[in-house]
Amino acid sequence: MITIFEKSKGGVSAIEILKLDVPDTGRIPKELERDFLELPEVSEIEVIRHYIQLSRRNFGVDLGFYPLGSCTMKYSPKINEEIANFEGFSGLHPYVPLSFSQGSLKLMYGLSSFLKEISGMDAVSLQPAAGAHGELTGIMIMKVYFEKKQEKRTKIMIPDSAHGTNPATVTMCGFTCMQVKSSSKGSLDIDDLKAKIDSDTVGLMLTNPNTLGIFDENILEIIKIVHDNGSLVYCDGANLNANMGIVRVGDLGFDMIHFNLHKTFSTPHGCGGPGSGPLGVKEYLAEFLPNPTIIEEKNGGRESYKLDYSKNSIGKVKAFYGNFTVLVKAYAYIMGLGAEGIKNAAENAVLNANYMMSKLKKHYNLPYDRICQHEFVIDDSRMENNVTTNDIAKRLLDYGFHAPTVYFPLIVKGAMMIEPTETESKETLDRFCDVMIKIKEESKTDQDKVKNAPWKMPVKRVDAVKAARELDVVFNK
Ligand SMILES: *Cc1c(COP(=O)(O)O)cnc(C)c1O
């Protein structure tokens, strides 16, 4: 495969640039003037073939099973894309006066209401563009919350099973991370929490269920310990697919949560977005949310929607209202499923994960052997001939599956984190388990086949370190 620039030959063009048919005033601002712009010169069919060929080397949920733990790579119904493409949504300019954009404001208000209901929070901002961005917004709010109380606190506690964005967020906000250990059962070690929490603690960031797919059975006690210390509890809501419609984090006592709309609420993700990571907070933190939020007013039974600016807001975190079309898709998805459907999705996600876990644990080591939520973690410690998680992941590609998340969470050596999601059939789950069992067999009888996989991919086994350090997109020259 070569780049489109290498396919370029002089004098060929896929488009015809028309001659200027108005007087040339010569008034292009100096800074916008270009002597020469290098564009590939290729015909239309060459452009089409180039990009179709590239797309066929790619893998996505629309092509096969994608059990990438923590990422919730579930199928997103295509109707939601269609709705997001409605002219009234996609063609609307964000500067249009409020009287012309009531429908879109109503949709965003409605989505905020759904998210409040699902999470048990009191107020929502739709602005953050990703989960990590929701975290940043939330921790900035913790910062101003304590500033307003004139308390100086500097440390945020994070379990050792946390996603990397949690410590990154804490550091970005100028706080210090305090790591809390996991217990032998895979939940938070309460003794370690008690030993480390003190008057300098801003709060705790917790993913529940955590990245081992375990719902923390001590969650009420944990939240009480943190609150008794005057600190706040952040819920990393990336795993909401396991318990939406079943348990509300606000009822458990969490002070805030971000939602990954691109994981839980039907936006395809990967390849850099766009995503959306709304933040929900309790009443006492609502005044700090990014400006503006949307409010509903009722005049004689007729609703209208307005923007509300709080003087204590942390400010804006994203232009306008966030990634609007992602919000449309989430709204359509929630409306489509309804309350019962949302709950069913979570229940089936959990059922699918437990089904696979019980099949695979006969063949692979399961470090935390207990009922899981929507994902579970196995490892490579029972493999023979030094076959590693990396080898298994590469061999799965030959069988047409995307690999699970590997080597994460960090507390499990050689981890493989498997998340089937609710949208996969029993046949698909069985096929994946059969292949995993087959790879285990291959590693005994035909180890080279596993260790040098993949064989069927356009790119064979690469030197991953070199590929990361010296990125060269022109392969097979
Ligand atoms: C995906 C994920 C995040 C970060 O969300 P992004 O939308 O990728 O920024 C944070 N925590 C957990 C547990 C996640 O799985």
Side-chain angles (χ1 to χ4, degrees):
M1 192 81 198
I2 60 175
T3 67
I4 194 153
F5 283 94
E6 289 163 287
K7 286 185 179 166
S8 175
K9 38 186 184 296
V12 185
S13 174
I15 52 160
E16 200 177 343
I17 298 173
L18 298 176
K19 271 221 167 68
L20 195 63
D21 62 356
V22 290
D24 182 357
T25 62
R27 271 184 293 170
I28 293 177
K30 258 265 151 309
E31 67 276 17
L32 294 181
E33 273 179 21
R34 299 282 181 280
D35 287 341
F36 175 65
L37 180 63
E38 198 197 338
L39 289 173
E41 295 181 53
V42 280
S43 68
E44 182 170 323
I45 185 68
E46 284 167 326
V47 175
I48 301 282
R49 286 186 180 150
H50 180 76
Y51 286 105
I52 294 292
Q53 278 167 18
L54 272 181
S55 76
R56 292 176 70 164
R57 289 164 165 250
N58 216 341
F59 192 92
V61 142
D62 292 350
L63 207 62
F65 186 41
Y66 207 133
L68 196 67
S70 215
C71 293
T72 310
M73 302 298 285
K74 65 187 186 183
Y75 175 70
S76 299
K78 294 290 172 268
I79 180 128
N80 302 331
E81 289 294 326
E82 238 167 85
I83 293 169
N85 269 325
F86 284 175
E87 183 77 24
F89 294 134
S90 62
L92 190 68
H93 195 282
Y95 276 137
V96 146
L98 289 191
S99 57
F100 288 178
S101 54
Q102 286 293 304
S104 293
L105 294 171
K106 180 175 181 174
L107 181 143
M108 289 188 280
Y109 182 82
L111 177 62
S112 306
S113 307
F114 292 154
L115 296 178
K116 282 192 267 183
E117 186 170 339
I118 290 169
S119 63
M121 291 291 159
D122 301 314
V124 164
S125 167
L126 301 171
Q127 269 182 37
H133 200 191
E135 290 174 32
L136 185 78
T137 309
I139 301 303
M140 283 165 73
I141 287 177
M142 286 194 183
K143 193 167 195 167
V144 295
Y145 170 79
F146 284 107
E147 273 167 15
K148 198 175 171 206
K149 286 174 60 149
Q150 301 194 328
E151 281 184 45
K152 195 156 168 34
R153 299 183 179 226
T154 62
K155 289 187 294 202
I156 294 192
M157 314 186 86
I158 300 177
D160 55 9
S161 59
H163 192 269
T165 50
N166 295 181
T169 297
V170 167
T171 309
M172 288 276 290
C173 288
F175 291 129
T176 311
C177 297
M178 286 281 288
Q179 198 175 77
V180 189
K181 283 199 278 248
S182 298
S183 71
S184 56
K185 290 176 74 186
S187 34
L188 197 74
D189 184 328
I190 297 213
D191 292 333
D192 199 41
L193 174 73
K194 282 183 184 158
K196 286 177 182 159
I197 196 164
D198 61 22
S199 59
D200 201 16
T201 306
V202 175
L204 168 73
M205 288 181 96
L206 200 69
T207 314
N208 196 29
N210 67 16
T211 60
L212 296 164
I214 291 172
F215 188 89
D216 203 311
E217 67 277 18
N218 302 315
I219 189 66
L220 295 176
E221 189 185 349
I222 291 169
I223 291 175
K224 184 166 187 318
I225 294 169
V226 180
H227 281 168
D228 285 350
N229 192 58
S231 316
L232 298 171
V233 198
Y234 184 99
C235 181
D236 178 332
N239 291 341
L240 200 62
N241 210 49
N243 56 19
M244 54 179 179
I246 299 169
V247 64
R248 307 195 321 159
V249 297
D251 298 343
L252 297 174
F254 281 97
D255 300 287
M256 50 172 77
I257 179 177
H258 79 252
F259 311 84
N260 300 63
L261 298 189
H262 46 285
K263 292 181 182 173
T264 320
F265 299 106
S266 181
T267 276
H269 61 119
C271 304
S276 177
L279 181 78
V281 299
K282 287 278 177 67
E283 187 63 47
Y284 40 88
L285 299 171
E287 61 177 314
F288 305 118
L289 282 176
N291 270 337
T293 46
I294 296 158
I295 50 170
E296 187 182 63
E297 285 186 341
K298 282 206 164 80
N299 313 315
R302 221 185 118 89
E303 308 97 28
S304 61
Y305 299 89
K306 281 192 5 195
L307 301 179
D308 188 40
Y309 291 83
S310 160
K311 71 176 189 330
N312 290 328
S313 163
I314 57 165
K316 263 191 162 317
V317 297
K318 178 95 176 81
F320 304 111
Y321 312 98
N323 283 327
F324 178 65
T325 55
V326 181
L327 308 179
V328 177
K329 287 179 233 182
Y331 183 82
Y333 178 75
I334 296 172
M335 285 290 274
L337 283 184
E340 225 11 69
I342 289 281
K343 184 169 172 235
N344 282 345
E347 286 171 349
N348 285 320
V350 172
L351 180 64
N352 282 356
N354 279 283
Y355 176 72
M356 289 176 85
M357 183 180 80
S358 60
K359 278 195 128 179
L360 288 177
K361 77 180 192 185
K362 300 184 191 108
H363 306 272
Y364 285 84
N365 185 50
L366 181 67
Y368 298 94
D369 188 359
R370 49 187 291 194
I371 288 180
C372 67
Q373 296 284 304
H374 63 308
E375 64 192 4
F376 61 98
V377 176
I378 54 175
D379 66 39
D380 57 7
S381 61
R382 275 170 67 187
M383 299 302 285
E384 289 177 36
N385 296 317
N386 297 322
V387 167
T388 65
T389 287
N390 190 40
D391 301 328
I392 300 165
K394 299 289 182 196
R395 186 65 179 139
L396 276 170
L397 306 178
D398 283 335
Y399 289 104
F401 294 114
H402 195 282
T405 295
V406 293
Y407 299 103
F408 180 78
L410 303 175
I411 53 174
V412 175
K413 188 168 174 289
M416 265 176 285
M417 185 193 210
I418 300 174
E419 177 179 4
T421 81
E422 72 280 11
T423 54
E424 298 300 334
S425 67
K426 179 171 176 295
E427 290 72 31
T428 302
L429 307 184
D430 284 336
R431 213 154 40 81
F432 180 82
C433 292
D434 289 347
V435 163
M436 285 292 285
I437 295 162
K438 188 162 178 204
I439 294 173
K440 175 104 192 283
E441 281 309 306
E442 282 178 350
S443 69
K444 289 182 207 156
T445 54
D446 205 355
Q447 66 196 69
D448 285 345
K449 204 169 215 163
V450 183
K451 286 192 163 180
N452 295 304
W455 302 88
K456 295 186 186 161
M457 294 290 107
V459 180
K460 306 293 177 284
R461 181 75 67 112
V462 291
D463 177 340
V465 175
K466 190 173 156 66
R469 298 274 189 277
E470 298 167 33
L471 185 65
D472 180 359
V473 291
V474 187
F475 43 85
N476 303 354
K477 269 181 245 188

